């Protein structure tokens, strides 16, 4: 893992909701009985039971072997769905922020004992140890081709700059998961475009060209449409019970401190 | 067939002078690469700024666009009297969850669903087309899109729903995308109260049933007797009577060795202990007369021995004081060994660790001592801390740094740490054995049990052979496994999944039953996957009936379509227009950018 990512993530950890989780042994409460210290019940020992759960003090008092039942404690799986379309590399800052956020979520999950996997939105698994190339087509379909793990945490990082309804797309990703984080990553220029006058805008994904006079009125109407699109994503996230975070592209410590922490995606470790 | 005889053809030819005009009015603007172009689209520049009139350049793009305009005009001029009727289209979403396999009155819900779909398809015109979608994450396109009606029969007959609980929303969203306006969307499921989009018609084919399920099963050997431990849960409106049968065998041959009638209380597990003759064969446990056979039938494979060989490399007095001489009697699955062949070495001094070995070093850090009464801080995420409480313990430790990841702390002093490397693992216990009360506490055997189990997971072979659906299968290569490439996991259905190169493999099986791990030199291991999912086993809230779509269920059968059945000329010209447009785009994209990148 890159040292700068490790250093930036040091003071934080993922905010994990108290929903039904699934994963390896960890520090979050799971669904069933298991190996945590949250005691639930006693039952008689039977051959094959885990010796670690025998109540030796009760044995000393009663001469009867009892097994303590605990709530399961898990480090929830984390499946990262990364929009690798060329639009995520529309500017250098946005491309760098996309790679940094992907590395940060993988590191935060791995550090807490979770198994993290990454997928291209609508595509195949991505390697977690190196940055993914941002050259794909538009992320119309977010659900990866490979199955996501049940009751795990899911994170979507995308700019959502497609004219499709986000509700079915996010619902498909959230289905079967314990919780969905939607990280809406936009370049500062995309949030508030400069008034550059007559300009040819070139679509980062398909090269479509559009001539316009980028003046105050045009920028204001653009911001209104962007706000509606953002409201749609917020509504879609709420519909699946997820957590939404708008993140202006920047350096990783700033994104963690000013965007992800205030919007309850990460919290102080 | 003159274009001037058809008004649309004339309009199409008007595109030719427009192309010339546009090529004269070329724009020279600064460029910016953006992502959300559609958000700017309504503000496209329509007048003046930056536009200049330039001499007409005879470029490839110009001629391609002129040719496309001519072809478009000709295509529009052709008569369209042979436009055909659109064939009706139906998208059927099949609930692929295991509860659809529940049997009532001799027939499974899936069979009733099949019959309902077939009966409805028979009522559609002969040229109707069908798309079959299976629910799941992600959904699966079983047939189609827009397959002929005759192609559906075999696929429906092969459909065997076995998935765990999942949300059908993704499949319904896919169906909505595949179904054009006017097409029907049917959702075949076993719950009549399911939440669906307005245009979906629900065909509920379930029945409210009482049943039971095996929530957990294990087998243990003790001499000539083997014990099967079973957790059974009833999902019923009252006490549920059934019987449990235990059979021993493999493949197609099974001999019943035990049977017991039981009455199970609803919604809480009942634990059964069944004794069977010890054998190296598979043990199959089944609940009789259960509506959902999938959750009441478990195959328990013999667990391969995963004995942990350990060696003691400490002074005899220390070993006796720590009770380590009784380790092989206190814990199952450990055997004393020499240091060269041990997977676990317990020592009182540091030494280089051999490949694949875990070395536990019990020694105080530094020369000064502290007696810690607590509070102790434990890293609960670490398996070595599982079950430890350290209540009432006096831990005498050295005052100094401890290398590795800290697991148990008293204040800032690390008492237990683990250091892993590609070679092996070192666990350091900062303990003065002569003074501490830890070896006399109940936590001491728990700690050693944790150490042994952690070492056991690193032994070669399968980590576990009896799994639940959704759990991860893991296998570490043994020295005799041969070539580490070309391994496959073969599912009970015969489906084969290629695994990457070793020496450590994991997979997440999606089928219930016995899976085989196969290498080029033959079968290496078998894994049994049991279905455990309370949401699918509970059939009490299932129901049947038809719920029409809220958007009106009539399927359009006579809507006209623009090009279906039109003449070959129209299709050829339309293709030519498309090809010319693509070529034009390709030519334009090859042009070098005027400004290179984005303005700062």
């Amino acid at each position: 893992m890159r040292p700068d990512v490790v250093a930036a993530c040091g003071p934080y950890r993922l905010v994990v909701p108290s929903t039904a989780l699934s994963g390896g042994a960890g520090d979050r409460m799971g669904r069933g009985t298991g190996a945590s210290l949250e005691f639930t019940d006693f039952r008689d020992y039977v051959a094959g039971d885990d010796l670690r759960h025998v109540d030796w003090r009760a044995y000393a008092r009663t001469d009867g072997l009892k097994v303590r039942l605990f709530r399961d404690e898990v480090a929830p799986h984390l499946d990262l769905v990364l929009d690798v379309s060329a639009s995520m590399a529309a500017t250098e800052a946005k491309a760098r922020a996309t790679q940094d956020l992907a590395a940060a979520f993988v590191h935060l999950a791995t550090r807490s004992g979770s198994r993290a996997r990454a997928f291209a939105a609508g595509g195949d698994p991505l390697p977690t140890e190196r940055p993914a190339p941002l050259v794909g087509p538009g992320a119309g379909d977010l659900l990866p081709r490979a199955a996501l793990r049940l009751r795990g945490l899911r994170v979507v990082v995308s700019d959502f700059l497609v004219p499709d309804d986000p509700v079915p797309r996010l619902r498909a990703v959230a289905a079967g998961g314990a919780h969905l984080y939607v990280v809406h990553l936009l370049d500062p220029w995309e949030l508030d475009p400069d008034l550059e006058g007559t300009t040819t805008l070139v679509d980062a994904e398909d090269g479509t060209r559009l001539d316009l006079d980028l003046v105050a009125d045009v920028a204001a109407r653009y911001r209104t449409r962007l706000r509606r699109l953002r409201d749609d994503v917020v509504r879609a996230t709420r519909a699946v019970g997820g957590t939404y975070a708008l993140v202006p592209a920047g350096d990783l410590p700033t994104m963690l401190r000013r965007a992800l922490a205030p919007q309850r995606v990460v919290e102080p470790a | 067939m003159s274009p001037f005889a058809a008004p649309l053809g004339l309009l199409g030819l008007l595109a030719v002078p427009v192309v010339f005009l546009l090529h004269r009015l070329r724009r020279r603007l600064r460029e910016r690469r953006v992502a959300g172009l559609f958000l700017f689209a309504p503000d496209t520049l329509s007048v003046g700024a930056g536009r200049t009139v330039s001499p007409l350049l005879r470029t490839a793009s110009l001629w391609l666009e002129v040719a496309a305009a001519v072809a478009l005009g000709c295509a529009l001029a052709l008569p369209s009297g042979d436009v055909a009727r659109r064939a009706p289209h139906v998208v059927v979403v099949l609930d692929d969850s295991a509860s659809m396999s529940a049997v009532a009155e001799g027939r499974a819900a899936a069979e009733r669903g099949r019959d309902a779909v077939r009966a409805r398809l028979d009522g559609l015109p002969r040229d109707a087309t069908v798309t079959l979608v299976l629910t799941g994450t992600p959904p699966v396109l079983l047939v189609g899109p827009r397959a002929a009606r005759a192609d559906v029969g075999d696929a429906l007959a092969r459909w065997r729903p076995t998935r765990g609980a999942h949300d059908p929303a993704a499949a319904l969203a896919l169906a909505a995308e595949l179904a054009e306006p006017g097409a029907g969307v049917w959702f075949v499921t076993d719950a009549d109260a399911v939440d669906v989009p307005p245009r979906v018609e629900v065909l509920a084919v379930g029945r409210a049933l009482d049943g039971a399920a095996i929530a957990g099963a294990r087998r243990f050997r003790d001499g000539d007797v083997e014990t099967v431990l079973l957790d059974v849960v009833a999902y019923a409106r009252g006490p549920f009577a059934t019987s449990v049968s235990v059979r021993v065998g493999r493949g197609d041959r099974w001999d019943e060795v035990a049977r017991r009638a039981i009455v199970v209380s609803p919604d809480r597990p009942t634990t059964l202990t069944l004794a069977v003759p010890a054998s190296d064969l598979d043990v199959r446990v089944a609940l009789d007369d259960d509506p959902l056979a999938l959750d009441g039938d478990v195959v328990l494979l013999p667990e391969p021995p995963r004995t942990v060989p350990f060696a003691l490399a400490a002074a005899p007095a220390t070993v006796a004081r720590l009770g380590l001489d009784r380790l092989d009697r206190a814990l199952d699955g450990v055997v004393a060994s020499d240091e060269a062949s041990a997977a676990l070495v317990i020592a009182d001094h540091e030494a280089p660790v051999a490949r694949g070995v875990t070395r536990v070093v019990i020694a105080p850090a530094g020369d000064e001592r502290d007696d810690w009464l607590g509070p102790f801080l434990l890293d609960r995420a670490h398996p070595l801390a599982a079950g430890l409480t350290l209540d009432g313990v006096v831990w005498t430790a050295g005052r100094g740094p401890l290398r590795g990841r800290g697991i148990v702390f008293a204040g800032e002093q690390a008492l237990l740490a683990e250091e892993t490397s590609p070679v092996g693992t070192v666990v350091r216990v900062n303990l003065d054995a002569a003074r501490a009360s830890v070896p006399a506490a109940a936590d001491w055997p728990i700690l050693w049990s944790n150490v042994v189990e952690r070492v056991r997971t690193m032994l070669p072979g399968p980590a576990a052979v009896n799994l639940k659906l959704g759990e991860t299968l893991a296998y570490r290569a043994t020295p005799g496994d041969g070539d580490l490439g070309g391994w496959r996991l073969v599912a009970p259905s015969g489906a084969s999944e290629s695994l990457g190169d070793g020496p450590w493999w994991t997979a997440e099986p999606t089928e219930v039953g016995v899976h085989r791990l196969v290498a080029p030199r033959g079968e290496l291991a078998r894994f049994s996957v049991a279905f455990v999912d309370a949401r699918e086993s509970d059939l009490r809230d299932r129901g049947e009936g038809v719920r029409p779509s809220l958007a009106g269920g009539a399927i359009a059968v006579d809507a006209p379509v623009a090009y279906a059945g039109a003449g070959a000329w129209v299709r050829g010209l339309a293709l030519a227009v498309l090809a010319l447009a693509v070529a034009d785009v390709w030519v334009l994209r090859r042009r070098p950018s005027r400004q290179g990148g984005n303005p700062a």
Side-chain angles (χ1 to χ4, degrees):
Chain A
M1 184 54 66
R2 286 161 39 198
D4 58 322
V5 173
V6 174
C9 295
Y12 300 102
R13 65 173 190 167
L14 275 176
V15 175
V16 176
S18 56
T19 49
L21 298 171
S22 176
D27 56 356
R28 313 288 191 179
M29 285 303 162
R31 293 166 17 109
T33 57
S36 79
L37 274 192
E38 188 167 324
F39 172 80
T40 58
D41 201 357
F42 280 113
R43 73 163 167 75
D44 288 338
Y45 171 83
V46 291
D49 274 337
D50 194 335
L51 277 178
R52 290 170 291 182
H53 296 164
V54 170
D55 190 321
W56 299 107
R57 291 176 183 82
Y59 174 64
R61 286 195 303 272
T62 66
D63 234 15
L65 281 173
K66 295 279 183 187
V67 177
R68 292 171 291 175
L69 300 179
F70 301 94
R71 276 189 63 187
D72 194 7
E73 217 170 49
V74 297
H77 300 308
L78 184 134
D79 286 334
L80 171 68
V81 178
L82 188 65
D83 182 351
V84 293
S85 62
S87 76
M88 299 300 282
T91 66
E92 282 182 22
K94 192 175 173 189
R96 193 169 52 247
T98 306
Q99 308 289 16
D100 286 353
L101 285 175
F105 279 112
V106 169
H107 174 66
L108 286 169
T110 309
R111 194 184 62 189
S112 65
S114 302
R115 288 183 59 207
R117 300 191 306 180
F119 300 90
D124 297 317
L126 296 171
T128 54
E129 66 275 7
R130 62 176 185 276
L134 304 174
V135 291
D141 188 9
L142 292 173
L143 189 66
R145 281 196 276 269
L148 301 179
R149 289 166 292 193
L150 285 175
R151 300 189 302 279
L153 301 178
R154 293 170 186 177
V155 180
V156 174
V157 178
S158 173
D159 57 10
F160 292 94
L161 289 178
V162 289
D164 300 340
D165 181 4
V167 173
R169 301 161 63 218
L170 285 178
R171 187 179 286 168
V173 177
H179 193 75
L180 176 69
Y181 299 98
V182 174
V183 178
H184 195 172
L185 177 65
L186 292 172
D187 188 82
W189 189 93
E190 290 166 346
L191 286 164
D192 190 10
D194 299 333
L195 306 181
E196 295 168 352
T198 50
T199 309
T200 296
L201 301 184
V202 182
D203 189 286
E205 288 170 1
D206 59 14
T208 304
R209 304 163 74 82
L210 191 70
D211 297 345
L212 55 73
D213 199 1
L214 194 42
V215 293
D217 289 351
V218 172
R221 285 195 290 275
Y222 162 83
R223 282 193 294 269
T224 302
R225 293 180 205 115
L226 180 68
R227 189 167 59 248
R228 281 193 207 121
L229 182 137
R230 185 189 160 200
D231 290 346
D232 287 345
V233 179
V234 171
R235 204 159 30 247
T237 307
R238 285 188 184 143
V240 299
T243 302
Y244 171 89
L246 175 69
V247 179
D251 61 274
L252 185 57
T254 305
M255 290 191 288
L256 286 163
R257 187 176 68 252
R258 295 201 179 159
L260 294 175
Q263 294 177 91
R264 299 289 298 149
V265 175
V266 297
E267 62 187 359
Chain B
M1 200 185 298
S2 163
F4 300 103
L8 278 176
L10 189 59
L11 281 174
L13 286 182
L14 281 178
V16 175
V18 170
V19 169
F20 281 104
L21 190 64
L22 288 175
H23 275 256
R24 291 261 300 173
L25 299 172
R26 286 146 51 86
R27 292 171 182 177
R28 299 183 188 281
L29 307 178
R30 65 192 313 205
E31 293 184 2
R32 172 175 277 280
R33 198 160 171 261
V34 296
L37 195 63
F38 66 99
L39 295 175
F40 287 101
D43 289 309
T44 307
L45 191 61
S46 56
V47 290
R51 181 178 296 175
T52 62
V53 176
S54 60
L56 186 66
L57 297 177
R58 293 173 180 80
T59 60
S61 171
L62 170 67
W63 298 122
L64 286 168
E65 288 169 18
V66 168
V70 171
L72 182 66
C74 292
L76 292 174
L78 285 170
S80 55
D82 56 346
V83 169
R85 173 182 65 79
R86 183 201 297 266
H89 178 210
V90 175
V91 182
V92 184
V93 179
L94 301 171
D95 184 351
D96 203 32
S97 57
S99 62
M100 287 290 289
S101 296
V103 175
E105 297 164 7
R107 303 187 71 225
E111 290 177 50
R112 292 193 293 274
R114 263 187 219 114
D115 291 348
V117 172
R118 284 191 187 119
R120 285 179 157 232
L121 292 180
D122 287 345
L124 293 178
R126 187 179 295 275
D127 61 347
T129 56
V130 183
T131 302
L132 290 185
V133 178
L134 293 184
T135 62
T137 313
V140 177
L141 199 60
L142 187 62
V143 172
R146 294 191 78 107
R149 217 177 62 183
D151 297 339
V152 174
D154 286 347
L156 271 179
R158 287 197 308 272
W159 173 44
R160 298 278 182 276
T162 57
R163 289 179 195 257
H166 58 271
D167 190 344
L172 294 170
L174 175 63
E177 287 178 20
L178 294 172
E180 60 275 21
V185 180
W186 303 340
F187 181 33
V188 181
T189 182
D190 58 354
D192 52 352
V194 66
D195 184 23
V196 296
R199 68 180 296 194
V200 176
E201 181 175 5
V202 177
L203 308 180
V205 291
R207 298 279 170 83
L209 298 169
D210 287 349
I214 296 175
R218 287 177 283 169
R219 61 186 286 192
F220 316 103
R221 175 179 285 200
D222 185 11
D224 294 334
V225 177
E226 200 153 18
T227 302
V228 174
L229 187 69
L230 205 61
D231 287 332
V232 181
V233 181
Y235 300 99
R237 284 154 286 195
F240 185 77
T242 182
S243 61
V244 181
S245 66
V246 183
R247 286 169 288 169
V248 174
R250 186 166 296 177
D252 296 331
R253 182 170 175 185
W254 297 91
D255 297 321
E256 185 169 298
V257 294
R259 173 175 289 276
R260 186 190 295 181
I262 57 172
V263 177
V264 190
S265 301
D267 295 317
R268 52 178 303 176
T270 298
T271 303
L272 303 176
T273 306
L274 303 160
V276 297
S279 77
D280 292 327
L281 297 172
D282 302 344
V283 172
R284 186 168 197 161
V285 187
L287 300 178
D288 296 336
D289 302 324
D290 187 55
L292 185 59
L294 199 64
D295 65 5
D297 191 351
V298 174
V299 174
L300 295 170
L301 305 180
E303 292 279 357
R306 290 176 65 76
T307 305
V308 176
F310 77 96
L312 299 172
T318 304
V319 169
R321 205 173 293 128
L322 298 176
L324 297 175
D325 49 346
R326 301 191 298 274
L327 193 66
D328 52 347
R329 280 169 283 159
L331 298 177
D332 288 333
V334 294
V335 61
S337 166
D338 58 74
E339 196 167 339
S341 55
L344 169 64
V345 176
I346 304 168
D348 57 3
H349 58 277
E350 296 276 355
V353 61
R355 180 168 290 278
V357 170
T358 298
R359 185 179 184 90
V360 181
V361 179
I362 306 169
D367 297 328
E368 295 181 85
R369 300 286 180 268
D370 290 312
D371 293 320
W372 296 98
L373 297 170
F376 298 101
L377 180 66
L378 288 89
D379 178 359
R380 293 284 171 211
H382 201 285
L384 288 184
L388 294 181
T389 62
L390 300 181
D391 288 344
V393 162
V394 178
W395 189 308
T396 305
R399 190 183 303 167
L402 203 62
R403 273 193 291 148
R405 172 187 169 184
I407 301 167
V408 177
F409 295 86
E412 294 182 352
Q413 177 62 56
L415 304 178
L416 179 68
E418 182 187 59
E419 185 178 25
T420 57
S421 73
V423 177
T425 302
V426 180
V427 176
R428 295 185 176 88
V429 187
N430 181 2
L431 181 73
D432 185 344
R435 290 171 54 184
S437 76
V438 180
D443 287 303
W444 190 242
I446 296 174
L447 174 63
W448 285 106
S449 177
N450 292 345
V451 170
V452 166
E453 292 311 316
R454 184 143 172 84
V455 174
R456 205 188 308 279
T457 62
M458 300 181 206
L459 293 178
V465 296
N466 294 307
L467 308 165
K468 294 175 184 173
L469 191 64
E471 290 182 336
T472 301
L473 166 162
Y475 186 90
R476 192 182 290 271
T478 65
D481 287 345
D483 190 359
L484 298 182
W487 291 31
R488 291 176 298 116
L489 184 67
V490 182
S493 66
S496 176
E497 174 191 357
S498 288
L499 304 175
D501 290 345
W504 169 246
W505 290 268
T506 60
E508 294 186 3
T510 55
E511 287 187 34
V512 173
V514 177
H515 297 247
R516 296 185 301 125
L517 180 65
V518 180
R521 59 162 278 234
E523 180 179 297
L524 298 180
R526 295 185 307 138
F527 301 86
S528 175
V529 179
F531 185 90
V532 180
D533 191 332
R535 289 170 294 175
E536 291 302 308
S537 298
D538 191 349
L539 303 170
R540 289 171 289 190
D541 60 350
R542 313 289 159 163
E544 62 183 329
V546 176
R547 203 172 81 206
S549 71
L550 298 177
I555 300 169
V557 295
D558 54 0
V561 63
Y563 289 103
W569 273 102
V570 172
R571 284 196 294 272
L573 287 169
L575 279 175
V577 171
L578 187 65
L580 290 165
V582 169
D584 187 31
V585 169
W586 182 74
V587 166
L588 288 173
R589 290 185 68 133
R590 287 188 62 199
R591 280 196 322 191
S593 168
R594 284 193 293 270
Q595 292 199 9
N598 284 351

